[in-house]
Amino acid sequence: MHSTTGTAPHPFEPLTPDLVLDALGSVGLRGDGRLTALSSYENRVYQVQLEDGAPVVAKFYRPARWTDAQIQEEHDFAAELMADEIPAVGPLVLGGATLHHFGGFTFSVSPRRGGRPPELDDGEVLEWIGRFLARIHAVGAKRPFVHRPALDVQTFAIEPMQWLLANDRVPLDVQSAWTAACQNAIDLIAARADMAGATGQSKSNSSGIRQLRLHGDCHPGNILWTPTDAAASAGPGPHFVDLDDARTGPAVQDLWMLLSGDRQQQTHQLGLLVDGYEQFREFDRAELALIEPLRTLRLIHYSAWLARRWSDPTFPANFPWFGSSDYWKGQVQMLQDQCEAMQEDPLVV
């Protein structure tokens, strides 16, 4: 199922520790030889100790995933957030630029920022995160992304489904059931005017739901929490990292991945997030109906993402369960469950 044609090297094969250190040297940073790979599947990210004792984080972007213009928009968005004193961790300006090239790779360098996962069962933490998400969205609504894509049914469901089938990634014994469940889910989402696609930054689509620049992948792993009893200089509270998936979409995209548990628990969590959010920005309750469609889009997109990256040895090592008939049967069940969820009443806060 996962065999690849040919013996072409995966995109990061030439990225050796020496190349990482040489790349940093090309922008005036001298590592002392201590280099630690950090958790990242899409890109390669390293913590590098510099000779002056200050650690930095070097991020090497997956070749051919984003254009330079799209990456630069991510950097510019992060800079806007930081200029507004929002605790996003953006790249350093080195030699007048944040985006650099070396050895066939595009890379950036950011300051190292410590922290722990946020305790999302703490109401104060959820409200605090909600406040900062509202501030991120207030900046995001000021101007459009020109080069980065929108979150819509075509790019997150229709194209991934077609790619998986065209490349024979779904086993034949499950293919018919998965195709039917996937198509049913897509039909339910596509019937919604609010999921048809963005019509422009700071504008609404035909449903009236506003589209804006988002973090895009705001799950708990992309929020570093500094305890409230930390020194003021440490910047207590949330720090938002990894804007790699920043794109245009509805505000609720940055809230729903912070929810977990049953309907009652999610309602409570969402209420706290929105309470914090609305201290800085109004939240459109109509967007609550998008939570299950957005969850379904992520489910379909995720399977295609894993399949497309399978030639990268990081993926088989970390996702050994992917691709079996049992995996795809599980996907069928989850898609069927999502079709039911999308037809239920949305959460209310």
Side-chain angles (χ1 to χ4, degrees):
M1 180 57 59
H2 299 305
S3 61
T4 56
T5 58
T7 57
H10 67 85
F12 288 111
E13 188 169 326
L15 187 61
T16 63
D18 284 343
L19 193 150
V20 171
L21 294 174
D22 289 344
L24 287 174
S26 73
V27 293
L29 301 177
R30 296 181 61 86
D32 69 1
R34 286 178 287 175
L35 185 152
T36 304
L38 302 180
S39 177
S40 178
Y41 300 119
E42 190 69 334
N43 304 299
R44 293 293 186 267
V45 183
Y46 303 91
Q47 178 177 300
V48 183
Q49 194 73 27
L50 302 183
E51 288 185 348
D52 66 5
V56 295
V57 174
K59 176 180 179 179
F60 290 79
Y61 294 86
R62 180 174 290 273
R65 179 173 183 237
W66 296 122
T67 66
D68 281 4
Q70 289 170 328
I71 297 173
Q72 191 61 58
E73 279 198 320
E74 171 205 335
H75 292 186
D76 293 344
F77 186 31
E80 286 182 65
L81 298 176
M82 292 186 292
D84 208 40
E85 298 184 342
I86 297 169
V89 182
L92 298 168
V93 178
L94 301 168
T98 57
L99 187 59
H100 313 283
H101 300 86
F102 186 87
F105 289 97
T106 301
F107 73 100
S108 63
V109 183
S110 302
R112 178 188 176 276
R113 185 64 56 83
R116 66 190 187 195
E119 296 179 1
L120 297 181
D121 57 351
D122 185 327
E124 181 183 359
V125 169
L126 284 171
E127 282 195 36
W128 201 333
I129 291 172
R131 290 195 293 272
F132 275 113
L133 285 174
R135 292 182 60 195
I136 289 173
H137 292 171
V139 173
K142 289 180 178 179
R143 59 180 56 86
F145 278 140
V146 176
H147 302 287
R148 296 186 77 85
L151 172 55
D152 57 34
V153 68
Q154 175 63 37
T155 54
F156 268 68
I158 296 174
E159 191 279 335
M161 174 189 175
Q162 292 173 345
W163 187 92
L164 286 164
L165 293 174
N167 288 274
D168 296 324
R169 297 307 178 99
V170 185
L172 287 175
D173 62 324
V174 193
Q175 191 175 107
S176 179
W178 180 83
T179 302
C182 194
Q183 188 62 58
N184 189 28
I186 289 172
D187 290 343
L188 287 170
I189 299 169
R192 303 184 59 96
D194 42 28
M195 293 304 301
T199 59
Q201 182 63 30
S202 299
K203 298 180 181 178
S204 61
N205 50 32
S206 58
S207 71
I209 289 179
R210 195 178 188 188
Q211 307 290 306
L212 64 153
R213 292 179 296 173
L214 304 169
H215 181 288
D217 193 29
C218 194
H219 58 75
N222 280 335
I223 301 176
L224 298 177
W225 185 266
T226 304
T228 54
D229 58 1
S233 60
H239 294 81
F240 295 86
V241 298
D242 194 7
L243 288 167
D244 196 59
D245 284 295
R247 62 185 64 238
T248 299
V252 74
Q253 168 65 13
D254 281 346
L255 277 69
W256 75 263
M257 277 184 273
L258 300 172
L259 309 178
S260 62
D262 60 25
R263 185 181 178 90
Q264 182 178 358
Q265 291 170 313
Q266 291 189 45
T267 299
H268 176 67
Q269 296 158 0
L270 184 59
L272 291 165
L273 283 169
V274 171
D275 283 347
Y277 192 97
E278 292 198 321
Q279 293 176 32
F280 287 90
R281 187 175 189 269
E282 183 180 358
F283 180 77
D284 183 359
R285 298 301 196 277
E287 295 193 25
L288 298 177
L290 302 183
I291 290 177
E292 294 307 328
L294 288 168
R295 194 191 310 274
T296 307
L297 290 182
R298 188 175 177 86
L299 183 67
I300 298 169
H301 185 267
Y302 185 69
S303 290
W305 175 68
L306 290 173
R308 284 171 151 143
R309 300 291 185 256
W310 204 251
S311 63
D312 182 336
T314 297
F315 282 75
N318 286 281
F319 306 99
W321 38 261
F322 173 70
S324 66
S325 290
D326 284 344
Y327 168 83
W328 290 104
K329 289 175 183 176
Q331 293 298 299
V332 170
Q333 184 61 58
M334 284 191 280
L335 286 168
Q336 291 172 342
D337 291 345
Q338 282 304 115
C339 287
E340 294 180 9
M342 286 190 286
Q343 297 177 80
E344 294 176 355
D345 292 334
L347 297 177
V348 177
V349 296

